[in-house]
Amino acid sequence: MIKPIWISAIALLTFTSPLLAVTPAPIEPNARVAWSEVIEDPFDGLIVHDRNFNPSNGSTYVSTWSEDAIRLTYTWYEQRIIGYRTVWRERTVYVQGTSRRESYPEQEPIYEREAYSRSPEKILFALNGEVYTYTGGPVSPELAAALIQVPLANTTIRLVWADGRTDDLIIGRGTVRAWRRIYQSRAAEEAENSQEFTLPE
């Protein structure tokens, strides 16, 4: 049986403000990288890549985490019919008790599959009883200190899009473990700042 024709296309939808937004992840969903493991990048230093794949529709969240930035991209796919083609199939017919095979034409759709991507305006973290908001740029010492204290288990972050909608995204245990190594030095800055502003009794 001949399968429908698929034509791939890529489209980029921008839903973010240039002044206040999370930047897109620098890698594609199918990139050959060590996911959820700390790696040494010549430009970003210590970094971890995280991927959350939805097998039901092929959509993917990809994020990269370093001291200099948290970058995240959501990619999803849509399809539409752009035409039809004629294919020949076979079937069995019965005439006066005798069977025989015959060919017949059938119209089959031709699909175009498009990939769309967008990045959120904000990432919210509910950690240690507080909510932290990340909107781009280097990770603050306060957020870094909270990230390295997350229990070693899957954790949930909230993505806020430009239209105000939100998605909750699960970050796996491997990436949570990597946060402890990546943000250790930045968290130390928070500890130092806290000591500087401690008033003597």
Side-chain angles (χ1 to χ4, degrees):
M1 178 174 132
I2 301 177
K3 296 182 179 180
I5 291 179
W6 292 86
I7 298 177
S8 297
I10 297 178
L12 177 63
L13 299 184
T14 302
F15 292 90
T16 56
S17 164
L19 299 178
L20 190 67
V22 177
T23 54
I27 58 175
E28 298 294 330
N30 59 351
R32 294 185 176 182
V33 298
W35 299 100
S36 299
E37 295 182 12
V38 178
I39 59 175
E40 182 78 36
D41 185 272
F43 300 100
D44 297 307
L46 296 181
I47 191 170
V48 61
H49 303 295
D50 185 85
R51 177 173 60 182
N52 190 308
F53 175 71
N54 184 345
S56 65
N57 58 18
S59 62
T60 310
Y61 295 89
V62 172
S63 56
T64 62
W65 305 75
S66 69
E67 285 193 356
D68 291 335
I70 300 172
R71 292 169 283 181
L72 189 147
T73 302
Y74 171 58
T75 301
W76 75 99
Y77 301 91
E78 296 180 4
Q79 67 183 52
R80 62 189 180 93
I81 297 175
I82 60 173
Y84 292 87
R85 65 170 183 166
T86 300
V87 296
W88 289 88
R89 307 193 187 281
E90 288 192 348
R91 62 188 172 189
T92 301
V93 297
Y94 294 88
V95 179
Q96 296 180 351
T98 302
S99 64
R100 63 182 176 86
R101 300 287 292 174
E102 73 172 16
S103 299
Y104 67 98
E106 186 173 276
Q107 292 296 298
E108 185 175 73
I110 300 174
Y111 294 96
E112 181 180 64
R113 188 170 186 253
E114 295 181 320
Y116 297 89
S117 297
R118 65 174 180 173
S119 296
E121 284 204 338
K122 304 175 185 177
I123 302 177
L124 304 183
F125 301 84
L127 306 172
N128 306 320
E130 296 188 29
V131 176
Y132 300 83
T133 301
Y134 177 81
T135 56
V139 175
S140 68
E142 296 81 5
L143 176 55
L147 289 174
I148 67 172
Q149 297 178 36
V150 177
L152 288 179
N154 293 350
T155 191
T156 301
I157 63 175
R158 175 160 293 180
L159 311 180
V160 181
W161 306 102
D163 58 7
R165 296 184 181 183
T166 63
D167 286 329
D168 288 350
L169 175 64
I170 295 177
I171 301 297
R173 177 176 178 173
T175 297
V176 172
R177 181 188 294 109
W179 288 348
R180 297 190 174 190
R181 182 178 172 190
I182 289 174
Y183 297 116
Q184 184 174 7
S185 61
R186 187 60 56 87
E189 297 178 21
E190 167 64 8
E192 292 175 0
N193 293 336
S194 299
Q195 293 175 1
E196 290 176 2
F197 289 97
T198 299
L199 296 177
E201 296 182 359

